[in-house]
Amino acid sequence: MDATDLARWQFAITTVYHFLFVPITIGMSLIVAVFHTAWVRTHNPQWMRLAKFFGKLFLINFALGLVTGIVQEFQFGMNWSDYSRFVGDIFGAPLAVEALLAFFLESTFLGLWIFGWGRLPEKLHAGTMWLVHIGTVLSAYFILAANSFMQHPVGYTYNAASGRAELTDFFAVLTNKVQLVTFPHVIFAAYMAGAGVVMGVSLWLMRREAKRAVDDAQDVARTDAPMYRTATRIGAVMTLVAAIGVTITGDVQGKIMTEVQPMKMAAAEALYESVPAGEGAPFSVLTVGSLDGSHANAIIEVPGLLSFLATGNFQGAVRGINDLKAEYAKTYGASGNPRVADVATAFVPNIPTTYWTFRLMIGLGIVTALIAIAVLWMTRKGRTPTARWLTYAAVAAPLLPVLANSFGWIFTEVGRQPWLVFGLMTTANGVSPSVSMGEVITSMVVFTLLYGALAVVEIKLFLHYVRKGAEPFEEPQDPADRDEDAPLVFAY
């Protein structure tokens, strides 16, 4: 293990940790905006209570996402300076726009939403959360544009004199074909994660309130159980709608991925030998690879499904790892590009990791959708069930879609390896040449310990407010009756 391996581990740890919060932030900002708007339109107290309750959980998650996200950009200069020097002119542009436009949009209006209760007119106040949500979506767009360049570089020219790739068409970067399919897929996945949190938390609270009422011989309708049942069903419906969106966009994304990164699709199936048109490449549910990593033995497979995922045709041709490896060796290994590492890397990603993260991403998403269907069935026609298994479903509902998001990104990044920027620079050539193993180990240990402590704080705060449930209803003060000189106060 050298400094490059350690730098990759550090970036992987901090990125996966940060991305645990991102999809929840995007998804929950939409749901909180919906609840707040429902309050403005109906003045039904349950909507305000739900908006404030899930707003608290959203803010806890947002704060951790903000803190951990700052670290990400520093790493480009610290551990990946050669990468930053080579493509910083391109990669930095969408990130700069994200910070100056999208992040300030969401941060500014989130502050207005926090302190705006009883100070801003109702409709304007609700609108601030919609602007927060728009800001989170725009942040995702610009960040994904930067990442999509790494998957499929466009809109640049190589300056031989400076040895750098330089931006020539910012619009081309923003409309990269990989970006146009990745963005909706990620957003739908984020909605699925946010809805999963709302479904799981509300389901647990609904069961608790209903069980207490039954144990105390009280009328369940007079408790908060019906309110949480409403939120549970909203979360379940949004989970299913998002799951459909994820499926459709993922199908399109798979075909674009096959077009621009055929090795990633071959690695996702551990397909070593090409399958010609007319035969149909199968999709394996379970595969055992050989000890030398030269071939795989499928145990359970679905005929023709990989061809459909890759080409849209159950009989379509799919290129295998061995043929692509030989082609890449000729195309890139002999190109004379100094930023392409020794051809001994074979231009093949880690097959087991790519193979299993692809299936975990899909499998966990399917299980989440099945939980949503089961929850809708159990809560139909006004029912507030108290079955014990609902507790396990409540715990699984937030965790599974978040993990599916994480496995999806691990697949995306590991499947691109050994490329840092596909076709232009390998990962081994992007690391900072002056950073030692000791320095990387030190920063990695510090960040890991810090993030571990933050995780404890996040979980304790989150569970504390979940157990408290929604606060009793209090009619917001009319802004006209408020003292303009009264200090801004915000406390939970």
Side-chain angles (χ1 to χ4, degrees), residues 455-477:
V456 173
V457 174
E458 154 85 8
I459 293 171
K460 289 190 69 173
L461 278 175
F462 197 89
L463 294 181
H464 171 73
Y465 285 107
V466 167
R467 292 190 185 100
K468 283 186 65 176
E471 298 287 347
F473 174 73
E474 292 184 9
E475 185 74 37
Q477 184 176 358

Side-chain angles (χ1 to χ4, degrees), residues 231-256:
T232 299
R233 290 182 63 83
I234 290 174
V237 169
M238 289 190 66
T239 298
L240 286 177
V241 172
I244 294 171
V246 166
T247 302
I248 295 172
T249 56
D251 177 63
V252 178
Q253 187 181 26
K255 293 165 177 57
I256 297 296

Side-chain angles (χ1 to χ4, degrees), residues 269 281-287 297-305:
E269 176 52 31
F283 179 86
S284 62
V285 180
L286 176 62
T287 290
N297 301 306
I299 297 177
I300 304 172
E301 59 184 22
V302 181
L305 182 56

Side-chain angles (χ1 to χ4, degrees), residues 123-141:
K123 293 181 179 179
L124 180 61
H125 188 210
T128 59
M129 182 51 76
W130 283 106
L131 289 170
V132 170
H133 175 63
I134 292 171
T136 64
V137 172
L138 287 175
S139 286
Y141 191 90

Side-chain angles (χ1 to χ4, degrees), residues 32 56 87 99 105 136 145 152 170 178 200 214 224 229 251 255 268 275 290 296 321 353 359-360 390 407 410 468 477:
V32 172
K56 292 178 185 178
V87 295
L105 176 68
T136 64
H152 179 58
F170 187 52
V178 173
V214 171
D224 285 338
R229 174 186 172 275
D251 177 63
K255 293 165 177 57
V275 177
S290 63
I321 293 170
T353 303
R359 278 147 186 79
L360 287 168
L390 291 175
F407 283 124
I410 293 172
K468 283 186 65 176
Q477 184 176 358

